[in-house]
Amino acid sequence: MSEPSPEPSSPHMTPEEFRRHGHEVVDWIADYWTRLPGLPVRSPVAPGDVRALLPDAAPERGEPLSAVLADLDRVVVPGLTHWQHPGFFGYFPANTSGPSVLGDLVSAGLGVQGMSWVTSPAATELEQHVLDWFADLLGLPASFRSSGAGGGVLQDSSSGANLVALLAALHRASGGTTVRHGVVPEEYTVYVSAETHSSMEKAVRVAGLGSDAVRIVEVDYDLAMRPAALAARLERDVARGLKPVLVCATVGTTSTTAVDPLAELGPICQRFGVWLHVDAAYAGVSGLVPELRPLQDGVEWADSYTTDAHKWLLTGFDATLFWVADRAALTGALAILPEYLRNAATDAGAVVDYRDWQIELGRRFRALKLWFVVRWYGAEGLRAHIRSGVALADELARWAEADERFDVATAHPLSLVCLRPRWADDVDADVATMTLLERLNDGGEVFLTHTTVRGAVVLRVAVGAPTTTRTHVERAWQLLAENHDWLSRDFAEAAAERARVAAAERAEAERRAAERAQAAERAQAERAEAERAEAERQATDRDAAAATAAAAATEVEVEPEVTGPVDAEATGTVEVDAPAARDETADRADDQIAQIAQPAE
């Protein structure tokens, strides 16, 4: 009897294999963080370069982890823009940290589905508790705590939070009819400023209102929404029979970190019965720091509020903190309970099911990484990180204000500084600024982005990466100054060359004009000489003709007049009529003179 065939080995990674390879992956991440300062911040690859390094088909057989890690270095890392690099000053920070990565690792390892309380009670209750912690830490109103009518939840992004806030506002404004019948065209209106994040308009589109429902409220010189302009627009729309639904106020706009005046906007929204949503995606976490909390004065008027822990709070993407003062409006807009999700705890109304607080049904255990972060750093550690970014940005702004090559374009209450380079009058300032930006980013040491402020292109320097120190900010400033000087010299040399070429062209044009003038003078003189010669020739011809005629006239022989009879026989001559002959000769001479006297044709 033959031996049975051995069973094929399992393709699944065993716990021991995971332990061994997990150490390898953690070592790889730690090594990556160590070598980050030596990598170019922005990826130098061209479109298609990464795909060109990948095989056309997926592997038929499994490969060792060592091969995957090797391709991380060969294929992936060169194609990355390194958001954790100490020279990353673009957009806003997208911080992560060791505790956050470990929290994400645990969440991934647990692999739980937190859509309902019953699917993992700890996933829901830990999230509720952590969101209550942060409501306290940020100084948010008591209505946002889970112990009252409101509460907090972790969304995937502030873009998603803006959408669910709008849906909740629509539910409240319509009395729930939008859930059953949808929105009526040209009935509801939403109010933003020109500085509001584009995700709010996207939310309006997704909600079915259409972009025409958006009202753009004027801003003041500091790019903050003007309360009087908001009130005027609300009054006008109400008078036309429209229903204002939501006002989106921003604390720390994406472009410049401008701050809308919540304390003035709030009472206006309450007077018109409009939902006030506060988008504080970047700047909201600054409320951890008591001296920065006044930027959010008036937040107690808010119906909903969002801020991102994954920007400036050392927590990896995605981790958006979102609160509502009345969760009934939110769940009323989003809750659907099919039979296969029913359970006793939900039916009893004793629990929160976060699937009703978001667009998606499923949800990861995001709260774990935030819990790891706040447990590792503590509130004081998080405050220290925020203060560090603000201090470094403030120092950069002071260097720029003292330098004749740059202007600080806007207020900089947080860790973003907008710089407007100065250029010579004959230089296109926007083109020059974008050229400076590309030179900086191409250099690989730093990465910056740009925006426009009052119609002019400016450079955004966003400080916040946990590895960024004063040395890195100093280097960024040095590179800004050096490249500005290089470009200014280049522009000046180019202008001088253009001036030299223009002068040479003018001189050549003047020389050619002089030559043309001289040629014209010569031609005119030649024509005059020719005319004079012709006149002389004609005069000579006339004189010659007259002389010829006169000579012809004098050569005619004139016979003496015979006065008496002549004897023909005695003389031997024939008698002729001499006077008649003379008359005929004279007539011919007169005709010749008359012809000569005719003017030349």
Side-chain angles (χ1 to χ4, degrees), residues 560-566:
E561 183 179 356
V562 178
T563 59
V566 177

Side-chain angles (χ1 to χ4, degrees), residues 33 83-85 88 90 92-98 100-101 104 282 285 308-319 369 373 377 382 385-386 389 415 462-468:
W33 286 345
W83 286 68
Q84 309 309 314
H85 195 290
F88 186 95
F92 282 128
N95 293 165
T96 190
S97 62
S100 174
V101 171
D104 247 342
Y282 158 69
V285 297
D308 293 334
H310 58 244
K311 283 191 171 69
W312 201 10
L313 207 63
L314 301 167
T315 306
F317 188 83
D318 52 352
K369 59 187 171 185
V373 167
Y377 287 99
L382 297 177
H385 175 63
I386 299 292
S415 66
V463 183
T467 55
T468 300

